[in-house]
Amino acid sequence: MARGFTECLFPEKHLLSFFFENQERFNIKTLKKQLASYQNALKEDAVYGFDKISSFQRNSMIENDIPFVSRNGQMYLPFMGVLFEKCAMGEDVVKERFAPGSQLLFLLFLYENDSYTKLEAAKRLQVLPMAISRASKQLLEKGLIEEKKQGTGIVMTVSVKDRRELYEKARKYLINPIQGVMYLPNGKVDSSAPASGEFSLSQRSELGYPKYVEYALYKDLPFFKELVGVDPDLNYEADIVRVQKWKYDPVMLSCNGQVDPVSLICTFEDTNDERIHKCLKDVKEEIWNWQII
């Protein structure tokens, strides 16, 4: 949410600017919805203001026609003009978030062993060695791992061995693993799919039972290719389940039929529900003792 607003006066133009102080993450859909609410309520043109933005954030807001200004020389005011300085946030300031493969590899280190060769990690996560090389490069750049040549292979080792410290060091890079969701009749989902969303949270905290049973599956599974979802707003004789399509395979990190705690927390990054935030505190404590099966 915006932390404050100010009036901007231009010749023949009056704007309200809503500023976000020191906020490096934001959700484009939420920004767009809030902007429409501000403009409808205040009957004025409104823009967002930021301390600094990345080029990805800048391009996403332009694509969604969201007016903005930032203190690092960026401006998009379609009703007045556009001004960009050379780069949106300098590379030394950008805190680029994880690619899905990088997050998967990081979580393997967080939950399991301090060291892996690239070949061992590829076998453990059931991906190609090239995918591990790409992921390890990003972890290396962020100071989360170190690499050392050993014989014909390369050993990757975490930069800090304390799980809490490692998690805090990486937390700002974490992504929401959900690519999309679909609804299916109960019985269509394999029993190996781990529970996720509010359904998983209700089994791990005091949160009440949700409207839908919810599972997570990897988005590239052949299972999805010819599958047609159902409309949850229509009435069906069979029960309906909600399926999250993840950017990486949730089964690789699951335990006892549940998605891993860090990924679960990330799926709720945009929620404002205080009940959920309270329950996620319980889930966070699972991180330090999570055992992948």
Side-chain angles (χ1 to χ4, degrees), residues 191-230:
S191 60
S192 65
S196 188
E198 291 187 28
F199 177 56
S200 177
L201 193 57
S202 71
Q203 298 175 55
R204 300 157 80 158
S205 70
E206 296 180 355
L207 188 72
Y209 199 81
K211 183 176 181 180
Y212 297 108
V213 171
E214 193 163 11
Y215 299 103
L217 288 170
Y218 182 41
K219 66 180 180 65
D220 289 341
L221 287 176
F223 169 79
F224 287 116
K225 286 187 177 178
E226 297 182 1
L227 201 61
V228 178
V230 298

Side-chain angles (χ1 to χ4, degrees), residues 141-158:
E141 289 172 349
K142 298 183 184 310
L144 297 170
I145 63 170
E146 299 168 351
E147 291 187 348
K148 184 178 181 180
K149 191 170 178 59
Q150 181 175 293
T152 58
I154 296 177
V155 177
M156 305 173 293
T157 304
V158 293

Side-chain angles (χ1 to χ4, degrees), residues 146-206:
E146 299 168 351
E147 291 187 348
K148 184 178 181 180
K149 191 170 178 59
Q150 181 175 293
T152 58
I154 296 177
V155 177
M156 305 173 293
T157 304
V158 293
S159 58
V160 291
K161 293 189 177 182
D162 181 82
R163 280 191 175 188
R164 294 175 188 270
E165 186 178 348
L166 184 63
Y167 172 73
E168 288 302 324
K169 193 173 182 180
R171 192 161 58 91
K172 56 183 171 288
Y173 306 123
L174 295 169
I175 63 169
N176 183 342
I178 300 176
Q179 173 109 348
V181 298
M182 67 187 308
Y183 294 85
L184 298 171
N186 196 9
K188 289 282 188 179
V189 181
D190 190 272
S191 60
S192 65
S196 188
E198 291 187 28
F199 177 56
S200 177
L201 193 57
S202 71
Q203 298 175 55
R204 300 157 80 158
S205 70
E206 296 180 355

Side-chain angles (χ1 to χ4, degrees), residues 12-63:
E12 301 181 359
K13 195 67 180 176
H14 180 242
L15 301 174
L16 288 175
S17 180
F18 292 85
F19 276 93
F20 291 79
E21 293 292 339
N22 301 316
Q23 181 162 333
E24 294 170 352
R25 299 187 190 182
F26 52 76
N27 182 276
I28 289 295
K29 290 182 179 179
T30 302
L31 286 185
K32 195 168 185 177
K33 184 176 180 180
Q34 288 176 344
L35 184 68
S37 297
Y38 293 149
Q39 291 175 333
N40 289 336
L42 301 171
K43 309 302 180 185
E44 297 278 2
D45 284 320
V47 302
Y48 286 118
F50 303 91
D51 282 331
K52 47 186 173 283
I53 56 173
S54 69
S55 56
F56 176 80
Q57 291 169 332
R58 178 191 68 187
N59 294 339
S60 295
M61 286 191 286
I62 292 172
E63 288 172 3

Side-chain angles (χ1 to χ4, degrees), residues 20 25 70 125-126 137 195 210 222 224 262 270 281 285:
F20 291 79
R25 299 187 190 182
S70 74
L125 296 174
Q126 299 179 25
K137 181 180 178 182
F224 287 116
V262 172
D270 296 322
K281 292 179 181 179
E285 292 305 309

